[in-house]
Every structure is written in structure tokens, then in C-alpha cells.
Amino acid sequence: MIGAVALAGALFAAAPAQADSASPAPAAPKTAKSAPKGDGAKAICKRLPKTQTRITTAINRLNGDVTVPGSVARLEQRVANAQTAGHTEVHTYLNDRLTFRKSLLPTLQKRQDDLKSVSTWCSAQGSK
């Protein structure tokens, strides 16, 4: 009985060493994929309605009032509240987020305009 316990203990002690030596060699680095063969126009045209919806939703959210989570107005209110409460670090953090969020609006509006042109092109190609 004691021999069985000693043998089991020896096996458990050796198991991690065996696991390390039995592990496969590190994977070879992946080879570079080939360059794209096209511009992905077919896929862009296929996803166009969903992309337009997502951008419109994001713009509407950013332009929402104080009651809309994610709106510029709501974050402006939070910045003002942090300043009033004297929470300098929180005010700085939220103000930086506000600056970024305000910069999103022109970017999304530009993308929305670009997608109108893409939509026209897809319609002309019969891809839409």
C-alpha cells in the first residue's frame, strides 16, 4: 500500500516535467498573405445599407439631447457637473472624452456623404 502511494506521488511529480517536454514546438510564423486582387466593391455594395444605418444612428446619438446616452450634450452636462463638484481629475478625463466625441461628428458626416456617392455608384453597377 505504501508502495502504491509512493508510486502515485512520483507520477504526479513527474507529470509537469513530462507535460513540458511533450508540448509541441512553437508554431512557425505565418507566411504573408497575398495582396488583395480587387477593391472589395462587391462587398462594400452588399454592406452599404447596414453601414448607412449604423452611421445615421451614430450621428443621431451624438446630436441627441441630455437624455440620450452617448450624446455630446449629455457628456457636456457631465463635464459641467464634475467642474461644479470640484472633481478636477474627473473633469479633465470627461473633457478629453468630450473633445474626442465632438471630433467624431464631422468624421461621421463625411463618411455619410461618401456613402451617398458609393450608393450611386453601386446602383449604376447593378450591385445594390
Side-chain angles (χ1 to χ4, degrees):
M1 182 78 161
I2 295 175
V5 172
L7 179 61
L11 289 175
F12 284 126
Q18 289 175 346
D20 290 342
S21 63
S23 63
K30 294 183 179 183
T31 58
K33 295 183 179 185
S34 62
K37 300 194 180 6
D39 61 358
K42 185 176 180 180
I44 290 171
C45 290
K46 181 179 177 182
R47 291 190 309 263
L48 186 64
K50 187 173 184 175
T51 305
Q52 288 172 324
T53 301
R54 289 181 71 189
I55 289 176
T56 301
T57 301
I59 290 172
N60 290 341
R61 182 182 321 115
L62 288 171
N63 287 329
D65 63 5
V66 178
T67 63
V68 177
S71 69
V72 171
R74 184 179 182 104
L75 191 51
E76 286 173 338
Q77 181 63 49
R78 290 180 63 197
V79 168
N81 291 347
Q83 186 173 16
T84 302
H87 300 150
T88 309
E89 291 80 8
V90 174
H91 173 264
T92 302
Y93 172 72
L94 291 176
N95 200 35
D96 290 344
R97 284 182 58 193
L98 178 62
T99 301
F100 174 74
R101 193 166 295 175
K102 284 180 177 180
S103 75
L104 282 176
L105 197 54
T107 302
L108 290 173
Q109 289 168 337
K110 175 71 172 129
R111 286 185 185 172
Q112 191 174 43
D113 291 341
D114 291 345
L115 283 177
K116 288 177 186 174
S117 301
V118 171
S119 178
T120 303
W121 183 86
C122 290
S123 296
Q125 302 302 313
S127 300
K128 192 173 181 187

